[in-house]
Amino acid sequence: MKLFAGNSNSHLADAVASYLDISLGKASVRRFADQEIFVEINENVRGEDVFVLQSTSFPTNDHLMELLIMIDAFRRSSAKRITAVIPYFGYARQDRKPAARTPISAKLVANLITEAGADRVLTLDLHAGQIQGFFDIPTDNLYAVPVISRDVKAKYDLSNTMVVSPDVGGVVRARALAKRLDALLAIVDKRRDRPGESEVMNVIGDVTGKDCILIDDIIDSGGTLCNAAATIMDRGAKSVTAYITHGVLSGKAVERIETSKLKELVITDSIQPTEAVKNAEKIRVLSIDQLIGEAINRTALEQSVSSLFD
């Protein structure tokens, strides 16, 4: 087994390599003067089980191209098997046609990864579960809920904790966490008029006096989450903390979180935190290095990955 990484999340790659007790593979990923990407593998990979760790986060297109070109380089170097480890799968929010004459970009990206030469995919908390079916190769979708539940148990009095889904679409994820915590579940009903904007309408469930845990897969601009937190506090909650797997946090999201009614935002390092995120008082980062590392180890040993979440 050999682990390589692109430029998107070097800190996570180093941590995963440390967990696996192996050295990160030697590869050069650089750009020509016109920003064309060039990849060179600096060690022998013939007959090896190769894992390529790369989040397709901002700049999404650059990191996606790095991943595709690295996969192609390994395929042409006669690697026995190539697994694309994608902690954050970009374009996942484009998983269906929301209107006439629009693309399903998640399927296109799945095709690109497959055609580049990947033999299997390992990813984390896909925005929509059906994206697994977009790939014509084996795809394992990991879940951050075990990591999140351990942190909640360490930080909160579970007898007064309530899990809240920020929208109806996230109920399955919220229910999974509530089951692990043996906690009650509430749902925020919202109406979205335009992409990136939302209007909170109602809270289904009694949150009065509760320490509420909002859980979701992605936070981008932060508007939906901050609106949900404000509404929950207005309904009498004691506190609101958000646990989000992928901290995209674009634009003024960090500033918005800092001035919101959230007690804390906890994200994973599936996307490498920016300096603004690291310096934010209300944002904390949980590492998923052990989760990703153990999934890679089990894949290499042909062991069960799904048993990680039993």
Side-chain angles (χ1 to χ4, degrees), residues 29 61 65 149 177 224 245 255 274 276 287:
V29 183
N61 298 332
M65 282 304 300
S149 64
L177 179 61
T224 296
T245 305
E255 180 183 328
T274 62
S287 185

Side-chain angles (χ1 to χ4, degrees), residues 17-137:
S18 178
Y19 175 83
L20 293 170
D21 197 22
I22 60 175
S23 298
L24 203 59
K26 298 175 182 177
S28 175
V29 183
R30 58 184 187 270
R31 283 160 174 75
F32 294 127
D34 64 351
Q35 298 304 301
E36 188 176 297
I37 297 168
F38 176 76
V39 171
E40 185 176 10
I41 311 303
N42 298 320
E43 60 183 87
N44 180 38
V45 294
R46 185 179 295 273
E48 296 283 357
D49 193 3
V50 171
F51 294 81
V52 189
L53 193 152
Q54 177 83 328
S55 287
T56 51
S57 51
F58 177 85
T60 304
N61 298 332
D62 283 4
H63 288 153
L64 175 59
M65 282 304 300
E66 282 186 15
L67 174 63
L68 297 175
I69 294 171
M70 289 185 76
I71 292 171
D72 183 71
F74 288 118
R75 178 172 64 89
R76 297 178 188 278
S77 301
S78 302
K80 180 179 69 176
R81 181 175 67 172
I82 304 165
T83 302
V85 182
I86 313 172
Y88 171 65
F89 183 80
Y91 287 101
R93 284 172 284 182
Q94 299 184 49
D95 62 310
R96 63 194 185 281
K97 290 187 67 171
R101 298 173 296 282
T102 56
I104 303 179
S105 302
K107 171 59 176 170
L108 172 61
V109 172
N111 288 344
L112 290 171
I113 292 170
T114 303
E115 289 301 314
D119 295 297
R120 66 183 304 124
V121 169
L122 188 65
T123 188
L124 175 70
D125 271 343
L126 285 170
H127 185 62
Q130 67 265 23
I131 295 175
Q132 284 180 277
F134 291 177
F135 289 91
D136 295 324
I137 54 178

Side-chain angles (χ1 to χ4, degrees), residues 140-158:
D140 291 307
N141 182 29
L142 307 179
Y143 302 98
V145 164
V147 178
I148 291 171
S149 64
R150 283 195 296 270
D151 192 76
V152 173
K153 288 176 181 178
K155 299 284 184 180
Y156 288 89
D157 173 12
L158 298 185

Side-chain angles (χ1 to χ4, degrees), residues 230-249:
T231 300
I232 293 168
M233 290 299 291
D234 289 344
R235 297 297 192 279
K238 181 181 177 182
S239 69
V240 182
T241 300
Y243 281 81
I244 312 292
T245 305
H246 308 298
V248 176
L249 297 171

Side-chain angles (χ1 to χ4, degrees), residues 106-213:
K107 171 59 176 170
L108 172 61
V109 172
N111 288 344
L112 290 171
I113 292 170
T114 303
E115 289 301 314
D119 295 297
R120 66 183 304 124
V121 169
L122 188 65
T123 188
L124 175 70
D125 271 343
L126 285 170
H127 185 62
Q130 67 265 23
I131 295 175
Q132 284 180 277
F134 291 177
F135 289 91
D136 295 324
I137 54 178
T139 302
D140 291 307
N141 182 29
L142 307 179
Y143 302 98
V145 164
V147 178
I148 291 171
S149 64
R150 283 195 296 270
D151 192 76
V152 173
K153 288 176 181 178
K155 299 284 184 180
Y156 288 89
D157 173 12
L158 298 185
S159 65
N160 194 50
T161 298
M162 174 174 271
V163 177
V164 183
S165 173
D167 54 38
V168 175
V171 170
V172 173
R173 184 179 297 103
R175 187 183 294 123
L177 179 61
K179 183 178 179 181
R180 284 177 176 269
L181 301 177
D182 193 24
L184 296 174
L185 177 66
I187 304 167
V188 176
D189 174 37
K190 68 176 171 48
R191 181 176 301 166
R192 187 187 300 274
D193 296 323
R194 288 182 295 275
E197 297 183 12
S198 65
E199 180 185 357
V200 175
M201 302 297 290
N202 197 14
V203 177
I204 303 170
D206 185 8
V207 298
T208 305
K210 298 290 185 180
D211 290 312
C212 293
I213 306 296

Side-chain angles (χ1 to χ4, degrees), residues 269-287:
D269 55 356
S270 64
I271 297 173
Q272 188 161 292
T274 62
E275 286 303 314
V277 170
K278 293 177 183 177
N279 295 330
E281 293 183 1
K282 284 190 176 184
I283 302 178
R284 181 162 57 90
V285 180
L286 282 178
S287 185

